[in-house]
Amino acid sequence: MDILLTGASGLVGSALLPRLLAQGHTVHALCRRPPANAVAVGQLHWHATDMATLLNEDDWLPLLDGIDLVINTVGIFAETGSQTFAHLHTQAPIALFNAAIVAGVERVIQLSALGAHPEASTAYWRSKAAADTVLRAAPLDWAIVQPSLVYADQGASSTLFRQMAAQPCLLVPADAGPVQPIHLADLVDALLQLIHRPALGRITLAAVGPQALPWHDYLQALRAGMGMARAPVIALPSPWVRGISRLAALCPGSLLNPASLSMLQAGSCADAGPIQQLLGRPMHLPQAYSHPALRSTAVTAAWQPWLRLALAFVWLLTAVVSIQQAPLGLQLLADAGLPAAWHPAALWGGAGLDLLLGVLTLSHPHRRLWQAQIALILGYTVFISLFLPQWWLHPFGPISKNLPILALLGLLTALTPATRKAS
């Protein structure tokens, strides 16, 4: 068939695309930014088009010439600029469905979302439901596929959930609903099975995994897949979680916000019988979703914020102690042979610098910040080694403890991208 695949660079679209090509279909792949190595060869034709600009029936007609099947996989979880729920989930798909009728394209597969309903609690769900409603009334052969959480090693949400699972204890909302995640491979196979059918059958298919799990059990399953032991669970009161979600929503690109919290509280479960029958094979179990090769990345990401907090605490406490124990600090400067006239400036300047580094560690994590801290600690260490070498032999090891801190800063430097701040 000749297939128009929207969202071809997204999580589901990019997994579906090579499978369609392998089966001999000609695919017209539409997305805003094709992959860097994307080329239009053979049966693959790329269309670098922003779907948010295709809001009218006439905008779609040139793209539907000769098309046998439309598969719409476009979806966003958060709005930015013109990339809104109204544009991408409602107006553009409705225009596409209407254009399909005019162009004589009879078959449409719409990737929606489990929980999509006109009266749903979030704009995400309501915007998906609005397009679904129009498609159900259209004189087309359609299938609406409504996935639950989709697990994929490379998926943004799955990466976040693995990081949450890798924490030393699992902090979960006390009122989180059950979830029934589906593996990306199962979802793609289900879509291919629909394509192979003589008729789509005007069906709405809940794309869920084989098991419904409480939220904390899903995180435990991800831990098990990474080869980690079960972790203790702490249920957070709803007011705390709501406050955290509002703060997290202030961070650009955050997947945690009041809307996602509302969706988690509502749960995401359905009867797995229809999709199991469609697949005709066992589905992946949640315990097999993640795997040990992902453990290192998840653990590193999970512990990185704690490392920053510990580092900030060291700098801030050092600043406070330096101020409170000023006479001791002045005596140390005198023991090092520093001229007396320099003592106040050195003491207060050092305390101020420690305070600044502590604040920046919390607010502006950056490679240059870690490198500056490395340089400063090395400078302190060399100074003390030259003028106060006896401190190396102190029974509490105040100088030797600089070594693990330097190693920590080296790790943070390696983990922090050079072009942007760490998340």
Side-chain angles (χ1 to χ4, degrees):
M1 290 183 289
D2 279 66
I3 297 173
L4 175 64
L5 174 65
T6 67
S9 63
L11 181 67
V12 178
S14 62
L16 182 60
L17 176 58
R19 299 287 300 277
L20 294 172
L21 295 172
Q23 293 182 354
H25 301 294
T26 297
V27 181
H28 297 262
L30 186 147
C31 59
R32 277 200 301 164
R33 301 185 192 93
N37 59 349
V39 291
V41 293
Q43 296 168 299
L44 174 60
H45 307 277
W46 285 99
H47 299 274
T49 304
D50 184 354
M51 190 161 161
T53 65
L54 306 178
L55 304 181
N56 298 301
E57 178 183 310
D58 291 343
D59 298 329
W60 286 101
L61 290 176
L63 295 168
L64 294 173
D65 185 29
I67 296 297
D68 303 303
L69 168 68
V70 169
I71 306 175
N72 177 34
T73 70
V74 167
I76 57 171
F77 199 69
E79 297 179 309
T80 55
S82 65
Q83 307 301 295
T84 64
F85 296 144
H87 284 166
L88 294 175
H89 293 175
T90 304
Q91 292 173 269
I94 290 175
L96 172 58
F97 304 153
N98 290 333
I101 298 171
V102 174
V105 180
E106 297 180 353
R107 307 180 76 197
V108 174
I109 295 177
Q110 156 82 341
L111 196 68
S112 181
L114 194 65
H117 188 273
E119 306 300 324
S121 60
T122 68
Y124 171 86
W125 274 335
R126 293 192 298 271
S127 63
K128 285 284 190 179
D132 294 350
T133 299
V134 171
L135 181 57
R136 289 190 180 101
L140 296 166
D141 180 24
W142 52 262
I144 297 172
V145 180
Q146 298 183 323
S148 177
L149 292 176
V150 178
Y151 177 86
D153 288 349
Q154 71 276 24
S157 62
S158 300
T159 299
L160 173 63
F161 299 154
R162 287 196 303 271
Q163 293 172 12
M164 295 170 63
Q167 296 285 348
C169 63
L170 305 183
L171 305 177
V172 300
D175 57 353
V179 294
Q180 200 167 343
I182 183 171
H183 197 284
L184 177 61
D186 293 333
L187 175 58
V188 169
D189 281 354
L191 292 171
L192 291 171
Q193 289 295 329
L194 285 173
I195 293 169
H196 296 158
R197 294 170 63 159
L200 295 174
R202 300 172 64 85
I203 63 169
T204 299
L205 178 71
V208 295
Q211 291 182 352
L213 299 169
W215 178 242
H216 59 84
D217 279 351
Y218 179 46
L219 296 181
Q220 299 282 22
L222 293 178
R223 285 181 68 89
M226 292 186 288
M228 304 176 68
R230 291 182 65 86
V233 177
I234 298 177
L236 300 178
S238 298
W240 291 16
V241 180
R242 285 195 296 270
I244 293 171
S245 70
R246 293 190 185 99
L247 291 175
L250 300 177
C251 301
S254 173
L255 295 179
L256 177 59
N257 52 55
S260 62
L261 175 61
S262 176
M263 294 167 72
L264 180 60
Q265 292 168 330
S268 184
C269 297
D271 180 13
I275 190 170
Q276 181 69 78
Q277 183 178 6
L278 177 67
L279 286 171
R281 61 160 176 80
M283 288 191 283
H284 292 75
L285 294 172
Q287 293 80 1
Y289 285 2
S290 56
H291 48 84
L294 299 169
R295 177 175 179 171
S296 177
T297 302
V299 170
T300 300
W303 278 94
Q304 193 172 348
W306 297 108
L307 297 180
R308 283 173 46 199
L309 286 173
L311 189 61
F313 176 79
V314 169
W315 287 116
L316 295 174
L317 181 62
T318 301
V320 171
V321 171
S322 296
I323 295 171
Q324 288 185 338
Q325 302 293 330
L328 178 59
L330 294 172
Q331 183 60 51
L332 290 173
L333 294 172
D335 293 343
L338 204 67
W342 295 6
H343 292 180
L347 176 70
W348 294 104
L353 183 57
D354 291 341
L355 178 63
L356 176 63
L357 290 175
V359 172
L360 291 177
T361 297
L362 294 174
S363 62
H364 290 79
H366 195 278
R367 284 174 60 92
R368 291 182 180 177
L369 176 63
W370 311 139
Q371 292 165 347
Q373 293 182 26
I374 290 173
L376 181 61
I377 293 175
L378 286 174
Y380 280 161
T381 304
V382 170
F383 177 84
I384 292 172
S385 298
L386 292 175
F387 300 103
L388 298 168
Q390 67 272 20
W391 281 90
W392 276 102
L393 302 178
H394 192 286
F396 292 159
I399 307 306
S400 59
K401 288 174 182 174
N402 284 348
L403 299 179
I405 293 179
L406 287 169
L408 163 60
L409 285 166
L411 176 63
L412 289 173
T413 301
L415 293 174
T416 306
T419 56
R420 62 181 179 85
K421 292 185 286 186
S423 58

